Amino acid sequence: MERTFAIIKPDAVERKLAGKILDRIEANGFNIVGMKKIKLSKCQAEGFYYVHKERPFFNDLCTFMSRSPVIVLCLEKENAIADWRTLMGATNPANAEPGTIRKDFAVNIEENSSHGSDAPETAAFEIPYFFSALELV
């Protein structure tokens, strides 16, 4: 079994799409081993996205991610990282495959409804950023 990290982003939570996204997660064989709704501070968003701090979109991304609540998840299944990335679809919803979360729910490339770890090393940082070991069941 492999674990990955996921976020249902502010744009999707604001539009009350979390239930539909959670349905897709479970329908695609993922076990939700951790889940909570939180409101990130700008500082917490900056810490989470620190790898992008030199990128021109960093400030806008952190402002967006801290504007309203998100749902953070730890997902588990065989090939969880790759499978979650496939289910999310391309970062730019205009390039995403039909039936993916971003194609069906994203507003645009900035407000693309979901986040997911892109590698085991990323998941190893992202999961404990939000969850203690006791919160993963």
Side-chain angles (χ1 to χ4, degrees):
M1 284 294 187
E2 181 178 63
R3 287 184 174 177
T4 193
F5 178 74
I7 300 176
I8 301 174
K9 291 183 176 182
D11 63 294
V13 174
E14 289 165 358
R15 291 180 292 131
K16 302 191 183 323
L17 298 171
K20 291 179 182 180
I21 293 171
L22 291 169
D23 282 346
R24 289 205 188 175
I25 288 169
E26 291 187 325
N28 280 271
F30 289 92
N31 293 315
I32 299 172
V33 296
M35 179 170 66
K36 54 187 162 181
K37 186 175 187 178
I38 61 171
K39 171 82 169 59
L40 290 171
S41 69
K42 180 99 181 269
C43 184
Q44 289 168 321
E46 289 169 348
F48 181 72
Y49 286 109
Y50 83 98
V51 296
H52 299 302
K53 67 180 180 242
E54 303 302 324
R55 297 267 181 104
F57 61 80
F58 178 72
N59 188 56
D60 289 343
L61 174 62
C62 294
T63 299
F64 163 62
M65 290 300 293
S66 60
R67 83 177 183 200
S68 61
V70 299
I71 296 173
V72 294
L73 303 135
C74 180
L75 307 176
E76 185 178 74
K77 74 178 279 201
E78 294 292 328
N79 302 308
I81 294 169
D83 288 357
W84 174 237
R85 305 244 356 129
T86 299
L87 181 58
M88 282 193 305
T91 302
N92 184 344
N95 301 330
E97 293 292 322
T100 62
I101 289 168
R102 289 175 171 160
K103 185 66 163 187
D104 294 346
F105 302 125
V107 175
N108 55 45
I109 193 169
E110 289 86 21
E111 297 190 15
N112 62 11
S113 299
S114 59
H115 164 89
S117 303
D118 60 4
E121 299 78 20
T122 311
F125 167 77
E126 293 179 340
I127 293 167
Y129 194 86
F130 291 100
F131 295 101
S132 73
L134 294 174
E135 294 175 299
L136 302 175
V137 294

